[in-house]
Amino acid sequence: MARMSDLESVFCRTALWRAWARRAVLPRVLPRGLSGEVLEIGCGSGAMAAEVLRSVPDIERYVATDVDPAMVARARRELGEFAARAEVLEVDAAGLPFADASFDAVVSWLMLHHTITWEQVLADAARVLRPGGLLAGYDLPDSRQSRVVHRLTRSTVRMVAADDLAAELRGLGLSDIEVRPLGVAGAYGFSARR
């Protein structure tokens, strides 16, 4: 099973990461029209989930998931103020325990490269989307810099090239596919509709 390195795990729990998520990341990646029932795969510490919930009052239910029990515990604390419309579950993104067509949106914030089987994760995300549902997120490119950073942090990853991601989304039969650079650390955003 893939997991973040200890260094990445600690960093994702810091105030610095929460501030970065709020000020630099969210304005670039938050999709328009996000509403209804939203599933986040790989929520980590819950920092992005909290910022999304603060920014989008039209979200009725937000289900944040992660495979790491320590991250799930941290995310539960982070999302405590949103208990009426958010829950955090320990779930493997490569085997989502939700029925077909369960969510209006599925989001993934900087975690696909940690799943190793990212194609399977995307297929399962598409499966749980309702017709017309939105799949959106961002990730790091398959670049020399990304590979070096993850090697130095001893993180288990399989980087996702933007072109490969777009091809996979097309292969899943999704439409309105967009993969675009974000201008932050080489990251790219993506979105598609079922």
Side-chain angles (χ1 to χ4, degrees), residues 138-169:
Y138 80 102
D139 216 303
L140 294 174
D142 184 11
S143 67
R144 183 176 184 270
Q145 180 182 0
S146 294
R147 289 188 300 273
V148 167
V149 166
H150 284 92
R151 191 173 306 120
L152 290 173
T153 61
R154 297 185 177 145
S155 186
T156 305
V157 297
R158 181 171 157 238
M159 301 311 294
V160 184
D163 290 344
D164 292 342
L165 177 70
E168 192 67 28
L169 295 172

Coordinates of all heavy atoms in Angstrom, one line a residue, residues 138-169:
Y138 N -6.0 18.4 -8.4 CA -4.7 18.9 -8.9 C -3.7 17.9 -8.4 O -3.9 17.1 -7.5 CB -4.4 20.3 -8.4 CG -3.9 20.5 -7.0 CD1 -2.5 20.7 -6.8 CD2 -4.8 20.5 -5.9 CE1 -2.1 20.9 -5.5 CE2 -4.3 20.7 -4.6 CZ -2.9 20.9 -4.4 OH -2.5 21.0 -3.2
D139 N -2.6 17.9 -9.1 CA -1.5 17.0 -8.7 C -0.2 17.5 -9.3 O -0.2 18.6 -9.9 CB -1.7 15.5 -9.3 CG -1.2 14.5 -8.3 OD1 0.0 14.5 -8.0 OD2 -2.0 13.6 -7.9
L140 N 0.9 16.9 -9.0 CA 2.2 17.2 -9.4 C 2.6 16.5 -10.7 O 2.1 15.4 -10.9 CB 3.3 16.9 -8.4 CG 3.2 17.7 -7.1 CD1 4.2 17.1 -6.1 CD2 3.4 19.2 -7.3
P141 N 3.4 17.1 -11.6 CA 3.7 16.5 -12.8 C 4.8 15.4 -12.6 O 5.4 15.3 -11.6 CB 4.3 17.6 -13.6 CG 4.9 18.5 -12.6 CD 4.0 18.4 -11.4
D142 N 4.9 14.5 -13.6 CA 5.9 13.6 -13.6 C 7.2 14.3 -14.2 O 7.4 14.3 -15.4 CB 5.6 12.4 -14.5 CG 6.6 11.3 -14.5 OD1 7.5 11.3 -13.6 OD2 6.5 10.4 -15.3
S143 N 7.9 14.9 -13.3 CA 9.1 15.6 -13.7 C 10.3 15.2 -12.9 O 10.2 14.5 -11.9 CB 8.9 17.1 -13.5 OG 8.8 17.4 -12.1
R144 N 11.5 15.6 -13.4 CA 12.7 15.2 -12.7 C 12.7 15.8 -11.2 O 13.0 15.1 -10.3 CB 13.9 15.7 -13.4 CG 15.2 15.4 -12.8 CD 16.4 15.8 -13.7 NE 17.7 15.4 -13.1 CZ 18.4 16.1 -12.2 NH1 17.9 17.3 -11.8 NH2 19.5 15.6 -11.7
Q145 N 12.2 17.0 -11.1 CA 12.1 17.7 -9.8 C 11.2 16.9 -8.9 O 11.6 16.7 -7.7 CB 11.7 19.1 -10.0 CG 11.6 19.9 -8.7 CD 11.1 21.3 -8.9 OE1 10.8 21.7 -10.0 NE2 10.9 22.0 -7.8
S146 N 10.0 16.6 -9.3 CA 9.1 15.8 -8.5 C 9.7 14.5 -8.0 O 9.5 14.1 -6.9 CB 7.8 15.6 -9.2 OG 7.1 16.8 -9.5
R147 N 10.3 13.8 -9.0 CA 10.9 12.5 -8.6 C 12.0 12.6 -7.6 O 12.1 11.9 -6.7 CB 11.3 11.8 -9.9 CG 10.2 11.3 -10.8 CD 10.7 10.4 -11.9 NE 11.6 11.1 -12.8 CZ 11.3 11.8 -13.9 NH1 10.0 11.9 -14.2 NH2 12.2 12.3 -14.6
V148 N 12.8 13.7 -7.7 CA 13.9 13.9 -6.8 C 13.4 14.2 -5.4 O 13.8 13.7 -4.4 CB 14.9 15.0 -7.3 CG1 15.8 15.5 -6.2 CG2 15.7 14.5 -8.5
V149 N 12.4 15.1 -5.3 CA 11.8 15.5 -4.0 C 11.2 14.3 -3.4 O 11.5 14.0 -2.2 CB 10.7 16.6 -4.2 CG1 9.9 16.7 -3.0 CG2 11.4 17.9 -4.6
H150 N 10.5 13.5 -4.1 CA 9.9 12.3 -3.5 C 10.9 11.2 -3.1 O 10.8 10.5 -2.1 CB 8.8 11.7 -4.3 CG 7.6 12.6 -4.3 ND1 7.3 13.6 -5.1 CD2 6.5 12.6 -3.4 CE1 6.2 14.2 -4.8 NE2 5.7 13.6 -3.8
R151 N 12.0 11.1 -3.9 CA 13.1 10.2 -3.5 C 13.8 10.7 -2.2 O 14.0 9.9 -1.3 CB 14.1 10.1 -4.6 CG 15.1 9.0 -4.4 CD 16.0 8.8 -5.7 NE 15.3 8.6 -6.9 CZ 15.4 9.4 -8.0 NH1 16.2 10.4 -7.9 NH2 14.7 9.2 -9.0
L152 N 14.0 12.0 -2.1 CA 14.6 12.5 -0.9 C 13.8 12.4 0.3 O 14.3 12.1 1.4 CB 15.0 14.0 -1.1 CG 16.1 14.3 -2.1 CD1 16.2 15.8 -2.3 CD2 17.4 13.7 -1.6
T153 N 12.5 12.5 0.2 CA 11.6 12.3 1.3 C 11.2 10.9 1.6 O 10.4 10.6 2.5 CB 10.3 13.2 1.2 OG1 9.6 12.7 0.0 CG2 10.6 14.6 1.1
R154 N 11.7 10.0 0.7 CA 11.4 8.5 0.9 C 10.0 8.2 0.8 O 9.4 7.4 1.5 CB 12.0 8.0 2.1 CG 13.5 8.1 2.2 CD 14.1 7.5 3.4 NE 15.6 7.6 3.3 CZ 16.3 7.7 4.3 NH1 15.8 7.8 5.5 NH2 17.6 7.9 4.2
S155 N 9.3 8.9 -0.1 CA 7.9 8.7 -0.3 C 7.6 7.7 -1.4 O 8.3 7.6 -2.4 CB 7.3 10.0 -0.7 OG 5.9 10.0 -0.8
T156 N 6.6 6.8 -1.2 CA 6.2 5.9 -2.3 C 5.3 6.6 -3.2 O 4.2 7.0 -2.8 CB 5.5 4.7 -1.6 OG1 6.4 4.1 -0.6 CG2 5.2 3.6 -2.6
V157 N 5.7 6.7 -4.4 CA 4.9 7.4 -5.4 C 5.0 6.8 -6.8 O 5.9 6.0 -7.1 CB 5.3 8.9 -5.6 CG1 5.1 9.7 -4.3 CG2 6.7 9.1 -6.0
R158 N 4.0 7.2 -7.6 CA 4.1 6.9 -9.1 C 3.5 8.2 -9.7 O 2.3 8.4 -9.7 CB 3.2 5.7 -9.4 CG 3.3 5.4 -10.9 CD 2.6 4.0 -11.2 NE 2.2 4.0 -12.6 CZ 1.0 3.8 -13.0 NH1 0.0 3.6 -12.2 NH2 0.7 3.9 -14.3
M159 N 4.4 9.0 -10.2 CA 4.0 10.3 -10.7 C 3.1 10.2 -11.9 O 3.1 9.2 -12.6 CB 5.3 11.1 -11.1 CG 6.2 11.3 -9.9 SD 5.5 11.9 -8.4 CE 5.0 13.6 -8.8
V160 N 2.2 11.2 -12.0 CA 1.2 11.2 -13.1 C 1.4 12.3 -14.1 O 1.3 13.5 -13.7 CB -0.2 11.3 -12.4 CG1 -1.3 11.2 -13.5 CG2 -0.4 10.4 -11.3
A161 N 1.9 12.0 -15.3 CA 2.1 13.0 -16.3 C 0.7 13.5 -16.7 O -0.3 12.8 -16.8 CB 2.8 12.4 -17.5
A162 N 0.6 14.8 -16.9 CA -0.6 15.5 -17.3 C -1.3 14.8 -18.5 O -2.5 14.6 -18.6 CB -0.4 17.0 -17.5
D163 N -0.4 14.5 -19.5 CA -1.0 13.9 -20.8 C -1.5 12.5 -20.5 O -2.6 12.1 -21.0 CB 0.1 13.8 -21.8 CG 0.5 15.2 -22.4 OD1 -0.2 16.2 -22.2 OD2 1.6 15.2 -23.0
D164 N -0.9 11.8 -19.6 CA -1.4 10.4 -19.2 C -2.7 10.6 -18.5 O -3.6 9.8 -18.7 CB -0.4 9.7 -18.4 CG 0.9 9.3 -19.2 OD1 0.8 9.3 -20.4 OD2 1.9 9.0 -18.5
L165 N -2.8 11.5 -17.6 CA -4.1 11.8 -16.9 C -5.2 12.1 -17.9 O -6.3 11.5 -17.8 CB -3.9 12.9 -15.9 CG -5.2 13.2 -15.1 CD1 -5.6 12.1 -14.1 CD2 -5.0 14.5 -14.4
A166 N -5.0 13.0 -18.8 CA -6.0 13.4 -19.8 C -6.4 12.2 -20.6 O -7.6 11.9 -20.8 CB -5.5 14.5 -20.7
A167 N -5.5 11.3 -21.0 CA -5.8 10.1 -21.8 C -6.6 9.2 -21.0 O -7.6 8.6 -21.5 CB -4.5 9.5 -22.3
E168 N -6.3 9.0 -19.7 CA -7.0 8.1 -18.8 C -8.5 8.6 -18.7 O -9.4 7.8 -18.7 CB -6.3 7.9 -17.5 CG -6.8 6.8 -16.6 CD -6.6 5.4 -17.2 OE1 -5.6 5.3 -18.0 OE2 -7.4 4.5 -16.9
L169 N -8.6 9.9 -18.5 CA -10.0 10.4 -18.3 C -10.8 10.2 -19.6 O -12.0 9.9 -19.5 CB -9.9 11.9 -17.9 CG -9.3 12.3 -16.6 CD1 -9.1 13.8 -16.5 CD2 -10.1 11.7 -15.5

